[in-house]
Coordinates of all heavy atoms in Angstrom, one line a residue:
M1 N 7.9 -8.6 -5.4 CA 9.2 -8.1 -5.9 C 9.1 -8.3 -7.4 O 9.6 -7.5 -8.2 CB 10.4 -8.8 -5.3 CG 10.6 -8.5 -3.8 SD 10.9 -6.7 -3.5 CE 12.5 -6.5 -4.3
S2 N 8.6 -9.4 -7.9 CA 8.6 -9.8 -9.3 C 7.8 -8.7 -10.1 O 8.2 -8.3 -11.2 CB 8.0 -11.1 -9.5 OG 7.9 -11.4 -10.9
L3 N 6.7 -8.3 -9.6 CA 5.9 -7.3 -10.3 C 6.7 -6.0 -10.4 O 6.7 -5.4 -11.5 CB 4.6 -7.0 -9.5 CG 3.5 -8.1 -9.6 CD1 2.4 -7.8 -8.6 CD2 3.0 -8.2 -11.0
A4 N 7.3 -5.5 -9.3 CA 8.1 -4.3 -9.4 C 9.3 -4.4 -10.4 O 9.6 -3.5 -11.1 CB 8.6 -3.9 -8.0
E5 N 9.9 -5.6 -10.4 CA 11.0 -5.8 -11.3 C 10.6 -5.8 -12.8 O 11.4 -5.5 -13.7 CB 11.7 -7.2 -11.0 CG 12.4 -7.2 -9.7 CD 12.9 -8.6 -9.2 OE1 12.5 -9.6 -9.9 OE2 13.6 -8.6 -8.2
H6 N 9.3 -6.0 -13.0 CA 8.7 -6.1 -14.3 C 7.9 -4.8 -14.6 O 7.0 -4.8 -15.5 CB 7.9 -7.3 -14.6 CG 8.7 -8.5 -14.7 ND1 9.0 -9.3 -13.5 CD2 9.4 -9.1 -15.7 CE1 9.7 -10.3 -13.9 NE2 10.1 -10.2 -15.2
N7 N 8.3 -3.7 -13.9 CA 7.6 -2.4 -14.1 C 6.1 -2.4 -13.9 O 5.4 -1.7 -14.6 CB 8.0 -1.8 -15.5 CG 9.5 -1.4 -15.5 OD1 10.0 -1.0 -14.5 ND2 10.1 -1.6 -16.7
E8 N 5.7 -3.3 -13.0 CA 4.2 -3.3 -12.7 C 4.1 -2.7 -11.3 O 3.6 -3.3 -10.3 CB 3.7 -4.8 -12.7 CG 3.7 -5.4 -14.1 CD 2.6 -4.7 -15.0 OE1 1.7 -4.1 -14.5 OE2 2.7 -4.9 -16.2
C9 N 4.7 -1.5 -11.1 CA 4.8 -0.9 -9.8 C 3.4 -0.6 -9.1 O 3.3 -0.8 -7.9 CB 5.6 0.3 -9.9 SG 7.3 0.0 -10.4
V10 N 2.5 -0.2 -9.9 CA 1.1 0.1 -9.4 C 0.5 -1.2 -8.8 O 0.0 -1.2 -7.7 CB 0.2 0.7 -10.5 CG1 -1.2 0.8 -10.0 CG2 0.8 2.0 -10.9
V11 N 0.6 -2.3 -9.6 CA 0.0 -3.5 -9.1 C 0.8 -4.0 -7.9 O 0.2 -4.5 -6.9 CB 0.0 -4.6 -10.2 CG1 -0.5 -5.9 -9.7 CG2 -0.8 -4.1 -11.4
A12 N 2.1 -3.8 -7.9 CA 2.9 -4.3 -6.7 C 2.5 -3.5 -5.5 O 2.4 -4.1 -4.4 CB 4.4 -4.1 -7.0
L13 N 2.3 -2.2 -5.6 CA 1.9 -1.4 -4.4 C 0.5 -1.8 -3.9 O 0.2 -1.9 -2.8 CB 2.0 0.1 -4.7 CG 1.7 1.0 -3.5 CD1 2.6 0.8 -2.4 CD2 1.7 2.5 -4.0
E14 N -0.4 -2.0 -4.9 CA -1.8 -2.4 -4.5 C -1.7 -3.7 -3.8 O -2.4 -3.9 -2.8 CB -2.7 -2.5 -5.8 CG -3.0 -1.1 -6.4 CD -3.7 -1.2 -7.7 OE1 -3.6 -2.3 -8.4 OE2 -4.4 -0.3 -8.0
N15 N -1.0 -4.7 -4.3 CA -0.9 -6.0 -3.7 C -0.2 -5.9 -2.3 O -0.7 -6.6 -1.3 CB 0.0 -6.9 -4.5 CG -0.8 -7.4 -5.7 OD1 -2.0 -7.2 -5.9 ND2 -0.1 -8.1 -6.6
L16 N 0.8 -5.1 -2.2 CA 1.4 -4.9 -0.9 C 0.4 -4.3 0.2 O 0.3 -4.9 1.3 CB 2.6 -3.9 -1.0 CG 3.3 -3.5 0.3 CD1 3.9 -4.7 1.0 CD2 4.3 -2.4 0.1
C17 N -0.3 -3.3 -0.2 CA -1.3 -2.7 0.7 C -2.4 -3.8 1.1 O -2.7 -3.9 2.3 CB -1.9 -1.5 0.1 SG -0.8 -0.1 -0.1
T18 N -2.8 -4.5 0.2 CA -3.8 -5.6 0.4 C -3.2 -6.6 1.4 O -3.9 -7.0 2.4 CB -4.3 -6.2 -0.9 OG1 -4.9 -5.2 -1.7 CG2 -5.3 -7.3 -0.6
Q19 N -2.0 -7.1 1.2 CA -1.4 -8.0 2.0 C -1.2 -7.5 3.4 O -1.4 -8.2 4.4 CB 0.0 -8.5 1.5 CG -0.2 -9.4 0.2 CD -0.9 -10.7 0.5 OE1 -0.5 -11.4 1.4 NE2 -1.9 -11.0 -0.3
L20 N -0.7 -6.3 3.5 CA -0.6 -5.6 4.9 C -1.9 -5.6 5.6 O -1.9 -5.9 6.8 CB 0.0 -4.2 4.7 CG 1.4 -4.1 4.2 CD1 1.7 -2.6 3.9 CD2 2.4 -4.6 5.2
R21 N -2.9 -5.3 4.9 CA -4.3 -5.3 5.6 C -4.7 -6.7 6.0 O -5.2 -6.9 7.1 CB -5.3 -4.7 4.6 CG -6.7 -4.6 5.1 CD -6.8 -3.7 6.3 NE -8.2 -3.5 6.6 CZ -8.6 -2.5 7.4 NH1 -7.7 -1.7 7.9 NH2 -9.9 -2.4 7.6
E22 N -4.5 -7.7 5.1 CA -5.0 -9.1 5.4 C -4.2 -9.6 6.5 O -4.8 -10.4 7.3 CB -4.8 -9.9 4.1 CG -5.8 -9.7 3.1 CD -5.6 -10.6 1.8 OE1 -4.8 -11.6 1.9 OE2 -6.2 -10.3 0.8
Y23 N -3.0 -9.3 6.7 CA -2.2 -9.8 7.8 C -2.2 -8.9 9.1 O -1.4 -9.1 10.0 CB -0.7 -10.1 7.4 CG -0.7 -11.3 6.5 CD1 -0.7 -11.2 5.1 CD2 -0.8 -12.6 7.0 CE1 -0.7 -12.3 4.3 CE2 -0.8 -13.7 6.2 CZ -0.8 -13.6 4.8 OH -0.8 -14.7 4.0
D24 N -3.0 -7.9 9.1 CA -3.2 -7.0 10.2 C -1.9 -6.3 10.6 O -1.6 -6.1 11.8 CB -3.8 -7.7 11.4 CG -5.2 -8.3 11.1 OD1 -6.0 -7.6 10.4 OD2 -5.5 -9.4 11.6
V25 N -1.1 -5.9 9.7 CA 0.2 -5.2 9.9 C -0.1 -3.8 10.3 O -0.9 -3.1 9.6 CB 1.1 -5.3 8.7 CG1 2.4 -4.5 9.0 CG2 1.4 -6.7 8.4
V26 N 0.4 -3.4 11.4 CA 0.2 -2.0 11.9 C 1.5 -1.3 11.5 O 2.6 -1.6 11.9 CB 0.0 -1.9 13.4 CG1 -0.1 -0.4 13.9 CG2 -1.2 -2.6 13.8
L27 N 1.3 -0.2 10.7 CA 2.4 0.5 10.1 C 2.9 1.6 11.0 O 2.0 2.3 11.7 CB 2.1 1.1 8.7 CG 1.7 0.0 7.7 CD1 1.3 0.7 6.4 CD2 2.9 -0.9 7.4
A28 N 4.1 1.9 11.0 CA 4.7 3.1 11.7 C 4.2 4.3 10.9 O 4.0 4.2 9.7 CB 6.2 3.0 11.8
P29 N 4.1 5.5 11.5 CA 3.7 6.7 10.7 C 4.6 6.9 9.5 O 4.1 7.3 8.4 CB 3.8 7.8 11.8 CG 3.6 7.1 13.1 CD 4.2 5.8 12.9
E30 N 5.9 6.7 9.6 CA 6.8 6.9 8.5 C 6.5 6.0 7.4 O 6.6 6.3 6.2 CB 8.3 6.8 8.9 CG 8.7 7.4 10.2 CD 8.4 6.6 11.4 OE1 8.7 5.4 11.5 OE2 7.7 7.2 12.3
E31 N 6.2 4.7 7.7 CA 5.9 3.7 6.7 C 4.6 4.1 5.9 O 4.5 4.0 4.7 CB 5.7 2.3 7.3 CG 7.0 1.8 7.9 CD 6.9 0.6 8.7 OE1 5.8 0.5 9.4 OE2 7.8 -0.2 8.8
L32 N 3.6 4.5 6.6 CA 2.4 4.9 6.0 C 2.6 6.1 5.1 O 2.1 6.2 4.0 CB 1.3 5.2 7.1 CG -0.1 5.6 6.5 CD1 -0.6 4.4 5.7 CD2 -1.0 5.9 7.7
A33 N 3.4 7.1 5.6 CA 3.7 8.3 4.8 C 4.4 7.9 3.5 O 4.2 8.5 2.5 CB 4.5 9.2 5.6
N34 N 5.3 6.9 3.6 CA 6.0 6.5 2.4 C 5.1 5.8 1.4 O 5.2 6.1 0.2 CB 7.1 5.5 2.8 CG 8.3 6.2 3.4 OD1 8.6 7.3 3.2 ND2 9.1 5.4 4.2
I35 N 4.1 5.0 1.9 CA 3.2 4.4 1.0 C 2.3 5.5 0.4 O 2.0 5.4 -0.8 CB 2.3 3.3 1.8 CG1 3.2 2.1 2.1 CG2 1.1 3.0 1.0 CD1 2.5 1.1 2.9
Q36 N 1.9 6.4 1.1 CA 1.1 7.5 0.6 C 1.8 8.3 -0.4 O 1.3 8.6 -1.5 CB 0.6 8.4 1.7 CG -0.2 9.6 1.3 CD -0.7 10.5 2.4 OE1 -0.3 10.3 3.5 NE2 -1.5 11.5 2.0
A37 N 3.1 8.6 -0.2 CA 3.9 9.3 -1.2 C 4.0 8.5 -2.5 O 3.9 9.1 -3.6 CB 5.3 9.6 -0.6
L38 N 4.3 7.2 -2.4 CA 4.4 6.4 -3.6 C 3.1 6.4 -4.3 O 3.1 6.5 -5.6 CB 4.8 5.0 -3.2 CG 6.2 4.7 -2.8 CD1 6.4 3.3 -2.2 CD2 7.1 4.9 -4.0
A39 N 2.0 6.2 -3.6 CA 0.7 6.2 -4.3 C 0.4 7.5 -5.0 O -0.1 7.6 -6.1 CB -0.4 5.9 -3.2
N40 N 0.8 8.6 -4.3 CA 0.6 9.9 -5.0 C 1.4 10.1 -6.2 O 0.9 10.6 -7.2 CB 0.9 11.0 -4.0 CG -0.2 11.2 -2.9 OD1 -1.3 10.7 -3.0 ND2 0.2 11.8 -1.7
E41 N 2.7 9.6 -6.2 CA 3.5 9.7 -7.3 C 2.9 8.9 -8.5 O 3.2 9.2 -9.7 CB 4.9 9.1 -7.0 CG 5.8 10.1 -6.3 CD 7.2 9.7 -6.2 OE1 7.8 9.1 -7.2 OE2 7.8 9.9 -5.1
M42 N 2.3 7.8 -8.2 CA 1.7 6.9 -9.2 C 0.3 7.3 -9.6 O -0.4 6.7 -10.3 CB 1.7 5.5 -8.7 CG 3.0 4.9 -8.5 SD 2.8 3.2 -7.8 CE 4.4 2.9 -7.2
N43 N -0.2 8.4 -9.0 CA -1.6 9.0 -9.2 C -2.7 8.0 -8.9 O -3.7 7.8 -9.6 CB -1.7 9.4 -10.7 CG -0.8 10.6 -11.0 OD1 -0.7 11.5 -10.3 ND2 -0.1 10.5 -12.1
L44 N -2.4 7.2 -7.8 CA -3.4 6.3 -7.3 C -4.4 7.0 -6.4 O -4.1 7.9 -5.7 CB -2.8 5.1 -6.6 CG -1.8 4.3 -7.4 CD1 -1.2 3.2 -6.5 CD2 -2.5 3.6 -8.6
K45 N -5.6 6.5 -6.4 CA -6.6 7.0 -5.5 C -6.3 6.6 -4.1 O -5.7 5.6 -3.8 CB -8.0 6.5 -5.9 CG -8.5 7.0 -7.2 CD -9.9 6.5 -7.5 CE -10.3 7.0 -8.9 NZ -11.6 6.5 -9.3
A46 N -6.8 7.4 -3.1 CA -6.6 7.1 -1.7 C -7.1 5.7 -1.3 O -6.6 5.1 -0.4 CB -7.2 8.2 -0.9
D47 N -8.2 5.2 -1.9 CA -8.7 3.9 -1.5 C -7.7 2.8 -1.8 O -7.9 1.6 -1.3 CB -10.0 3.6 -2.1 CG -10.0 3.5 -3.7 OD1 -9.0 3.7 -4.3 OD2 -11.1 3.3 -4.2
T48 N -6.6 3.0 -2.4 CA -5.6 2.0 -2.6 C -4.8 1.8 -1.4 O -4.4 0.7 -1.1 CB -4.6 2.5 -3.7 OG1 -5.3 2.8 -4.9 CG2 -3.5 1.5 -4.0
W49 N -4.7 2.8 -0.5 CA -3.8 2.7 0.7 C -4.5 3.2 2.0 O -4.0 2.8 3.1 CB -2.5 3.4 0.4 CG -2.8 4.9 0.2 CD1 -2.9 5.4 -1.1 CD2 -2.9 5.9 1.1 NE1 -3.2 6.8 -0.9 CE2 -3.2 7.1 0.4 CE3 -2.9 6.0 2.5 CZ2 -3.4 8.3 1.0 CZ3 -3.1 7.2 3.1 CH2 -3.4 8.3 2.4
A50 N -5.5 4.1 1.9 CA -5.9 4.8 3.0 C -6.5 3.9 4.1 O -6.5 4.2 5.3 CB -7.0 5.8 2.6
F51 N -7.0 2.7 3.8 CA -7.5 1.7 4.7 C -6.4 1.3 5.7 O -6.7 0.8 6.8 CB -8.2 0.5 4.1 CG -7.3 -0.2 3.1 CD1 -6.4 -1.1 3.5 CD2 -7.4 0.1 1.7 CE1 -5.6 -1.8 2.6 CE2 -6.6 -0.6 0.8 CZ -5.7 -1.5 1.3
L52 N -5.2 1.5 5.4 CA -4.1 1.1 6.3 C -4.0 2.0 7.5 O -3.3 1.6 8.5 CB -2.7 1.1 5.5 CG -2.6 0.0 4.4 CD1 -1.4 0.2 3.6 CD2 -2.7 -1.4 5.0
K53 N -4.6 3.1 7.4 CA -4.6 4.1 8.6 C -5.4 3.5 9.8 O -5.1 3.9 10.9 CB -5.3 5.4 8.2 CG -4.6 6.2 7.2 CD -5.3 7.5 7.0 CE -4.8 8.4 5.9 NZ -5.5 9.6 5.8
Y54 N -6.3 2.7 9.5 CA -7.2 2.2 10.6 C -7.1 0.7 10.8 O -7.3 0.0 9.8 CB -8.7 2.6 10.2 CG -8.8 4.0 9.7 CD1 -8.9 4.3 8.4 CD2 -8.7 5.0 10.6 CE1 -9.0 5.6 7.9 CE2 -8.8 6.4 10.2 CZ -8.9 6.6 8.8 OH -9.0 7.9 8.4
P55 N -6.8 0.3 12.0 CA -6.8 -1.2 12.3 C -8.1 -1.8 12.0 O -9.2 -1.2 12.1 CB -6.4 -1.3 13.7 CG -6.1 0.1 14.2 CD -6.6 1.1 13.2
K56 N -8.1 -3.1 11.5 CA -9.3 -3.8 11.3 C -10.0 -4.1 12.6 O -9.3 -4.3 13.6 CB -9.0 -5.2 10.6 CG -8.7 -5.0 9.2 CD -8.4 -6.2 8.4 CE -8.7 -7.6 8.8 NZ -8.2 -8.6 7.9
S57 N -11.3 -4.0 12.6 CA -12.1 -4.3 13.9 C -12.6 -5.7 13.9 O -12.8 -6.3 12.9 CB -13.3 -3.3 13.9 OG -12.8 -2.0 13.8

């Protein structure tokens, strides 16, 4: 939250995605779509979030 509050939205989203992956969070399709939309608005590459589509093995 602190990063987003300080206009570090890109870093905040990257950190969120990394944390979701590290804690094996399975996202609902709508949640993944929202993350994708935010990443697209920020002109981030898919490798910032696309790994969330697939559960860790």
